């Protein structure tokens, strides 16, 4: 049974049982405390916790998930994968334990011919929470399971909660017995390798508080509405139904593994280490592809870093299989073809996905070359220093800064006969993970506070009137101060105010929040920010300027009209620039982010090379031609499917409901899904002036522009500058560029002559410096203050020349000077001096400490500096003493 068929049977079954079929949410989670949708229940958290009223009583879905906390186990077990699909059915205050058990058992044990999954009841076991007598009895009553196949486990295994105060409850897990070949008998309590969990039924019935750990919390009451939250692992069911050994061999994953086998020329199933690598590749390629399809792009932080790590682990695994060249074209294509039936967007969006994948591969292959060079140098320094161990911080720097995998560092170092201080490396990694966990925990605490909005959200969605009105009368539904509900906010306080209606736009879709005020009888509030803390609810962060505002008080929102008008110009200009980019570069130049505020727009798009000056001019010209043509701007509310059918562009990573707002500028030329505010015709934009274009990642570019009056002011300022230059240089405007180029060439020529004079002047000082050398106990020491110097490079040049003159001696050269009001010191050693124990790096650290700074370098030459120019003499004396003690 194909994986897609299993998913369809699941949805069909629950549709027949009166469930609303809900499409998968994005892998990019709305919850700011987590990077990804890590479980099937994540998109339903607002409904399960009661923050947002559920739009249906029961639902079912196939949810895409990404989980990387067990990334090191991928490929080593049958069930660990970073990307997986969770089948779920949900009840929001409707059915509970008995019906949940009945429906789960029915789907599992109904024959394939009758639309079920065809599991034999004899192969299924269940676990229940240790004190949940009701669930244990229902499994016997509803499913006819014998008592010996119903096992009771503790809270660690069979009690679910989010880790925060709120809804929780016992759960019941269904296991499949894979048979004696996979382990010992005795049920999941004895062996969870043989007995594989396939479905978890959560009975959300309790309200908990004082959560101290997974198993330590207080149950403080029952929920008024009991919910059902279930999750069945699609990949786990698939590898059982397809009679293969693990999830990497199912129909949606195995083709990538087979392609890696083909590219490497190695066999699968012959070498345990190679098999793990093949499975890692199969898993990570699929995960990376699905993240790209949901708008995540490679970067060095957050979601982008996880994506980059998956891709780089894939490249590393292929390298360990003997393949050093590019492979992503073949691997990602194989994954696309295996997944396209379940996710057609992979076909329609393939050009963008492929561009990012190949761009990241090209970048990392270059990184491997650069990292190898840095590592080779570090190994060489370690050997020359007489050590056979590469320091942990150096290995960590390669890993953290350059993205150079630690296992590759270990491999190359071992080949060179050098070990790595793995304990120090692991300590640095642990410290980094601890910081990351603390940061995540901090964000998680913040999201827990969203429950304060549940009472307000239960009253309905906030009505936004700002598309047509700049003033709206309403009433105060709620007030929060420091995250807590209050009944009044007084002058001088910062508060959140929630209204039934508002004309103020909440930040979203790249458009910043409106500026404005909220006024009422006896109070005035300055609006600092407007946000949507939970779906459907708008919250205004305000400063109470005068009076005091109370619950139920009549209040009027007043939008700053000039600021709104300028923001609308910028947002509409962004749509025009997007259309112009697609006209110029092609349909793969899709939007990956934007920012619109009064007078300014920023637009990020998928592209992996800089735009030429001609291309930027063409984009600017197309945009302003559209402004001049006074194109009509229209908006329509329609279903998401109808909008997509009409060709509307959607922003990757944005969340869209079943009903969307489509914005046309000039008909289909610019047609996008957008909830922002816009001008009514393109001429209202006024002017768009492109001020910059740059890279924001391996496959992302950013174009920036000023809009309206801000664009005019910028051009006026440039015109004034041109007038000033023509007057100053006494050159006509059309000859100005040539005149400046001539002056620049003359300046460079003069600088070269000056540099030559300075170089000769420096060289003239070498004999005197050599003659200044002192000898002590077989050491030759030059330690001189050069006074004011042009730069540290001048000092290095002198040190190098003096050392050459003394190369046959056991010599140390230490020269210092003042460059840019700061002291600089350079120390060099001859080979004979190094053999006798003198290390330039150690000596320069001593001197830099005296100067009030730091420094370092190699044993033969090192540089340092500090802040105290008056300590140069003492620093040189410290070097001399250290050499004498060597």
């Amino acid at each position: 049974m194909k994986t897609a068929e299993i998913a369809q049977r699941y949805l069909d079954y629950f549709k027949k049982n009166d469930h609303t079929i809900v499409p998968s949410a994005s892998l990019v989670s709305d919850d700011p405390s987590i990077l990804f949708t890590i479980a099937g229940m994540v998109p339903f958290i607002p409904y399960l916790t009661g923050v947002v009223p559920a739009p249906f009583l029961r639902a079912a879905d196939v949810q895409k998930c990404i989980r990387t906390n067990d990334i090191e186990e991928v490929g080593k077990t049958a069930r660990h994968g970073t990307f997986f699909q969770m089948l779920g059915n949900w009840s929001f205050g409707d059915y509970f334990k008995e019906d949940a058990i009945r429906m789960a058992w029915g789907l599992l044990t109904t024959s394939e011919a009758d639309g079920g999954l065809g599991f034999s009841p004899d192969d299924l076991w269940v676990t229940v929470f240790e004190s949940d007598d009701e669930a244990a009895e229902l499994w016997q009553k509803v499913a006819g399971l014998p008592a010996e196949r119903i096992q009771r486990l503790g809270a660690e295994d069979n009690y679910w909660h989010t880790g925060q105060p709120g809804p929780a409850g016992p759960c019941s897990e269904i296991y499949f017995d894979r048979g004696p070949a996979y382990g010992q008998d005795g049920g999941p309590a004895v062996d969870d390798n043989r007995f594989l969990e396939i479905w978890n039924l959560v009975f959300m019935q309790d309200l908990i508080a004082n959560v101290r750990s997974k198993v330590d919390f207080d149950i403080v009451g029952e929920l008024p509405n009991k919910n059902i939250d279930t999750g069945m692992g699609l990949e786990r069911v698939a590898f059982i139904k397809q009679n293969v050994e693990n999830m990497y061999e199912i129909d949606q994953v195995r083709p990538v593994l087979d392609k890696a086998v083909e590219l490497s020329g190695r066999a699968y199933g012959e070498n345990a280490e190679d098999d793990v690598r093949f499975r890692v590749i199969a898993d990570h390629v699929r995960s990376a592809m699905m993240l790209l399809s949901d708008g995540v792009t490679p970067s060095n932080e957050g979601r982008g870093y996880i994506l980059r790590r998956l891709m780089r682990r894939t490249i590393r695994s292929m390298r360990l299989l003997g393949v050093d060249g590019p492979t992503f074209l073949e691997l990602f294509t194989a994954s696309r073809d295996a997944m396209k039936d379940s996710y057609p967007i992979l076909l329609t969006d393939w050009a963008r996905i492929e561009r990012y994948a190949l761009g990241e591969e090209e970048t990392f292959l270059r990184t491997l070359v650069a990292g190898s060079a840095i590592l080779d140098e570090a190994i060489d320094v370690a050997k020359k220093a007489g050590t056979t161990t590469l320091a942990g911080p150096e290995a960590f720097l390669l890993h953290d800064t350059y993205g150079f995998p630690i296992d590759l560092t270990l491999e190359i170092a071992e080949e060179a006969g050098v070990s790595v201080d793995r304990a120090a490396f692991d300590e640095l990694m642990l410290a980094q993970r601890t910081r990351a966990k603390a940061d995540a925990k901090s964000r998680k605490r913040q999201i827990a506070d969203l429950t304060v909005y549940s009472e307000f959200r239960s009253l309905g969605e906030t009505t936004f009137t700002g598309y047509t009105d700049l003033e709206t009368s309403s009433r105060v539904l709620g007030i929060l101060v420091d995250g807590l509900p209050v009944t009044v906010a007084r002058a001088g306080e910062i508060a959140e105010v929630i209204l039934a209606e508002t004309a103020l736009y909440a930040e979203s879709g790249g458009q910043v929040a409106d500026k404005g005020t909220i006024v009422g009888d006896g109070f005035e509030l300055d609006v600092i920010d407007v946000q949507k803390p939970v779906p459907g609810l708008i919250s205004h962060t305000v400063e109470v300027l005068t009076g005091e505002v109370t619950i139920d008080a009549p209040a009027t929102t007043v939008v700053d009209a000039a600021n709104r008008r300028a923001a609308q110009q910028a947002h509409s200009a962004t749509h025009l620039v997007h259309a112009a980019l697609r006209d110029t570069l092609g349909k793969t130049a899709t939007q990956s982010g934007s920012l619109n505020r009064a007078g300014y727009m920023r637009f990020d798009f998928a592209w992996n090379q800089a735009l030429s000056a001609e291309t930027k001019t063409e984009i600017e010209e197309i945009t302003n031609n559209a402004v001049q043509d006074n194109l009509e701007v229209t908006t329509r509310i329609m279903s998401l499917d109808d909008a997509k059918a009409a060709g509307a562009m959607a922003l990757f990573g944005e969340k869209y409901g079943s009903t969307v707002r489509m914005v046309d500028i000039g008909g289909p030329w610019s047609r996008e899904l957008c909830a922002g505010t816009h001008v009514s015709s393109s001429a209202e934009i006024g002017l768009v002036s492109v001020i910059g274009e740059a890279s924001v990642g391996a496959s992302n570019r950013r174009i920036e522009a000023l809009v309206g009056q801000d664009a005019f002011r910028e051009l006026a300022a440039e015109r004034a500058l041109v007038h000033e230059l023509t007057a100053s240089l006494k050159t006509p405007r059309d000859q100005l560029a040539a005149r400046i180029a001539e002056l620049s060439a003359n300046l460079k020529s003069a600088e070269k002559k000056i540099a030559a004079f300075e170089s000769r002047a420096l060289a003239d000082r070498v004999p005197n410096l050599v003659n200044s050398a002192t000898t002590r106990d077989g050491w030759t020491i030059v330690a001189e203050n050069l006074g004011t110097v042009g730069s540290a490079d001048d000092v290095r040049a002198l040190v190098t020349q003096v050392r050459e003159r003394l190369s046959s001696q056991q010599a140390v050269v230490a020269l210092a000077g003042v460059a840019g009001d700061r002291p600089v010191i350079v120390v060099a050693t001859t080979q004979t001096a190094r053999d006798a124990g003198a290390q330039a790096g150690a000596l320069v650290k001593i001197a830099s400490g005296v100067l009030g700074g730091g420094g370092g370098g190699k044993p033969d030459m090192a540089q340092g500096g500090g802040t105290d120019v008056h300590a140069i003499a003492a620093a040189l004396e410290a070097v001399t003493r250290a050499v004498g003690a060597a």
Side-chain angles (χ1 to χ4, degrees), residues 492-496 504-505 507 512-518 525-531 539-545:
E493 288 188 310
I494 303 296
E496 283 185 74
L504 291 156
Y505 182 79
E507 180 180 0
V512 301
D514 273 337
K515 295 181 179 179
T517 57
I518 301 174
L525 316 177
D526 179 44
V527 177
I528 300 170
D529 194 13
V530 189
Q531 294 290 333
S539 174
H540 311 78
T541 300
V542 302
E543 180 183 2
V544 183
L545 297 179

Side-chain angles (χ1 to χ4, degrees), residues 747-764 790-791 793-794 797 801:
L747 179 60
K748 288 180 180 178
S749 176
E751 288 174 343
K752 287 182 179 179
K753 290 179 181 178
I754 293 171
F757 284 129
E758 290 178 343
S759 179
R760 283 196 294 272
L762 286 173
D764 290 343
S791 68
D793 290 340
D794 294 339
Q801 293 179 57

Side-chain angles (χ1 to χ4, degrees), residues 213-283:
S213 72
K214 174 75 169 70
V215 299
D216 188 11
F217 49 84
D218 297 332
I219 298 177
V220 294
E222 290 189 354
L223 293 175
N225 292 317
K226 297 179 179 180
N227 302 322
I228 288 293
D229 157 13
T230 88
M232 179 162 70
L234 179 54
E235 283 77 9
R236 294 190 183 189
V237 176
F239 83 71
I240 294 171
K241 296 301 294 181
Q242 294 174 20
N243 196 30
V244 294
E245 289 297 309
N246 51 62
M247 64 169 287
Y248 313 102
E249 297 176 15
I250 65 174
D251 62 301
Q252 288 189 343
V253 186
R254 181 64 187 250
V256 185
L257 189 154
D258 289 338
K259 180 57 68 173
V261 167
E262 175 188 330
L263 293 171
S264 68
R266 300 191 187 183
Y268 179 62
E270 292 186 358
N271 179 284
E273 289 186 353
D274 282 353
D275 287 352
V276 170
R277 291 162 188 155
F278 283 128
R279 293 192 286 263
V280 165
I281 292 164
D283 171 86

